Amino acid sequence: PPTAVPKPGFPLFVAALDGALPAGMLRHLRIALGPLSPFWRSHGYVCDGVRTASPFFSYVHDLRAPARTGLDRVLRRVQAHAAAAQPAVAAAGMAE
């Protein structure tokens, strides 16, 4: 299992974890959020590398509710890894 170890003297707020997501979960994210995915066009994002003005939006996910989507499952996996380094993360109720 991946582990995160803070550098001495520095709190761990950001980490890169090899193997943090199972291959199937990562594959799903790559397809759903890849540059050719309809997600970007349907949300009004410009992905042509020239124009940079796109609307900002976000989704809020309730981490206390049962997972309903693949992204909900990804968020719970990320939460579990983050909580291993920062235990307070386990009590987070929402993700954005």
Side-chain angles (χ1 to χ4, degrees):
T3 59
V5 179
K7 184 176 180 180
F10 294 91
L12 181 62
F13 294 110
V14 177
L17 302 175
D18 289 332
L21 299 177
M25 190 177 278
L26 185 57
R27 185 172 41 256
H28 177 76
L29 282 177
R30 285 181 173 155
I31 292 168
L33 300 175
L36 300 178
S37 164
F39 174 87
W40 304 109
R41 192 173 315 109
S42 67
H43 286 78
Y45 267 72
V46 178
C47 299
D48 63 8
V50 177
R51 294 168 287 171
T52 58
S54 291
F56 173 80
F57 71 95
S58 64
Y59 290 99
V60 177
H61 294 261
D62 187 343
L63 298 172
R64 299 162 298 205
R68 296 181 303 121
T69 67
L71 185 54
D72 287 336
R73 289 184 283 282
V74 167
L75 292 171
R76 281 166 180 75
R77 176 72 62 124
V78 170
Q79 181 185 27
H81 288 305
Q86 295 290 336
V89 172
M94 307 298 277
E96 184 175 10

